[in-house]
Amino acid sequence: MPELPEVETIVSGLRTKIAGKKIKQIEIRDNKVIATKKDDFLEQVLGKIVKSISRRAKIVVIELAEEKFLLIHLKLTGQLVYQPHHGAIIAGGHPIKYIGKALPNKFTRAIFVFDDQSKLYFNDVRRFGWIKLVDKINLEKIKADFGIEPLSKGFTLEKFQEILAHKKNTTIKTCLMEQKYLAGLGNIYSDEALFAARIKPTRIVKTLSENEIKKLWQAIPRILKYSIKHRGTSFADYVDVEGEVGNFIRYLKVYGRAGEKCYGCSGMIKKIKIGGRGSHFCEKCQR
DNA sequence: CGGAGTGTTAGTCG
DNA sequence: CCGACTAACACTCC
């Protein structure tokens, strides 16, 4: 599930927890999630110190000593949950049905144990997520496959116009989710950004006016930052590294609100399918 | 019980 | 190259 704000929340939380720690032990409970040959993976990761944690698009990048990088993609239902050696964990009482009180659980696919006995759990219900180990060269290759980061300085109006010029004949919604042009927007935030810019998700890119493009360009980073401030949007599968749910779901204006009243007018939020994805919008507010 | 839907993205097909 | 569609998987909802 996680899109840019959720991954960013996880990354910044993780940074304070595991930077500088040594990976002492690894338990792979489901070989499918390790996209690198298991023996190589263990041999190269065990004993390494975590140097830094960052994000590219929706990928968590954990830099290890000696220029090795652990890449983690959570896809739809992945979680990273940190557990200190002593003290409480985790998501007790939160609406995460399958987490229960104890980890690991049946969805725990991998466990990293650090030298202070704290643990990082990779949980994933649907098993689409993955962890892979790459070197510097491959890291750069993978990073290069993604488009501009919408929270970076390089995301200028000109750059956004350039992106749209690549996808003139598709719907704007599909375009916003195209990771090779714009990194990090998924189904939730593309719907929300389009609502904020008062543009219907079905609009074909080349029909957008300059003013609409500008409004959309402004809306994207604004909404992402606002969501990060609230630790992301929580659905059933998302928690941050401390097992906490985010709050941003309270601020969603269209996503998941089909049939409910629009906050901007008296209309109803509609839901249709675009490119196989549920898309939410207000027929009155968005044109 | 059966079928549709779910936050992602690779891969295929026309 | 484009765009549309599907599969990967497990679970929830109607």
Side-chain angles (χ1 to χ4, degrees), chain A residues 140-156:
Chain A
E140 294 308 326
K141 252 189 223 161
I142 290 167
K143 280 186 170 182
D145 286 341
F146 293 98
I148 185 90
E149 288 284 339
L151 294 181
S152 72
K153 275 193 181 151
F155 186 59
T156 59

Side-chain angles (χ1 to χ4, degrees), chain A residues 45 88 99 110 171 187 196 256 284:
Chain A
V45 176
I99 272 212
T171 63
N187 210 27
K284 267 184 160 174

Side-chain angles (χ1 to χ4, degrees), chain A residues 69-114:
Chain A
F69 302 85
L70 273 182
L71 306 186
I72 305 178
H73 200 307
L74 301 168
K75 292 287 184 90
L76 273 83
T77 56
Q79 305 176 319
L80 287 172
V81 180
Y82 177 81
Q83 179 177 37
H85 181 38
H86 292 296
I89 204 68
I90 277 164
H94 285 303
I96 298 117
K97 290 172 190 139
Y98 62 83
I99 272 212
K101 288 196 168 60
L103 285 175
N105 62 29
K106 66 191 260 206
F107 304 115
T108 301
R109 311 297 176 187
I111 307 170
F112 295 84
V113 184
F114 299 97

Side-chain angles (χ1 to χ4, degrees), chain A residues 128-195:
Chain A
F128 294 163
W130 46 252
I131 304 177
K132 66 174 84 165
L133 179 72
V134 296
D135 58 17
K136 182 106 181 155
I137 308 259
N138 282 305
L139 173 72
E140 294 308 326
K141 252 189 223 161
I142 290 167
K143 280 186 170 182
D145 286 341
F146 293 98
I148 185 90
E149 288 284 339
L151 294 181
S152 72
K153 275 193 181 151
F155 186 59
T156 59
L157 180 56
E158 294 69 36
K159 179 74 191 178
F160 189 48
Q161 286 163 335
E162 197 182 295
I163 289 168
L164 297 183
H166 281 294
K167 305 288 293 180
K168 293 196 273 293
N169 293 312
T170 185
T171 63
I172 183 61
K173 157 103 180 194
T174 310
C175 179
L176 291 183
M177 293 201 298
E178 189 104 29
Q179 302 298 303
K180 69 184 264 214
Y181 293 118
L182 189 56
L185 282 204
N187 210 27
I188 300 175
Y189 295 101
S190 48
D191 280 3
E192 294 296 316
L194 286 164
F195 176 80

Side-chain angles (χ1 to χ4, degrees), chain A residues 182-242:
Chain A
L182 189 56
L185 282 204
N187 210 27
I188 300 175
Y189 295 101
S190 48
D191 280 3
E192 294 296 316
L194 286 164
F195 176 80
R198 304 172 74 86
I199 298 166
K200 258 192 206 152
T202 48
R203 286 279 297 282
I204 300 298
V205 169
K206 65 184 172 194
T207 70
L208 296 179
S209 72
E210 271 197 34
N211 190 41
E212 287 175 321
I213 292 172
K214 189 169 176 197
K215 283 201 328 213
L216 187 54
W217 169 69
Q218 290 168 329
I220 291 167
R222 190 175 71 235
I223 286 170
L224 293 175
K225 282 183 203 158
Y226 190 37
S227 176
I228 289 170
K229 205 167 130 184
H230 293 282
R231 312 179 69 74
T233 301
S234 287
F235 288 80
D237 303 310
Y238 166 75
V239 288
D240 68 18
V241 286
E242 298 186 86

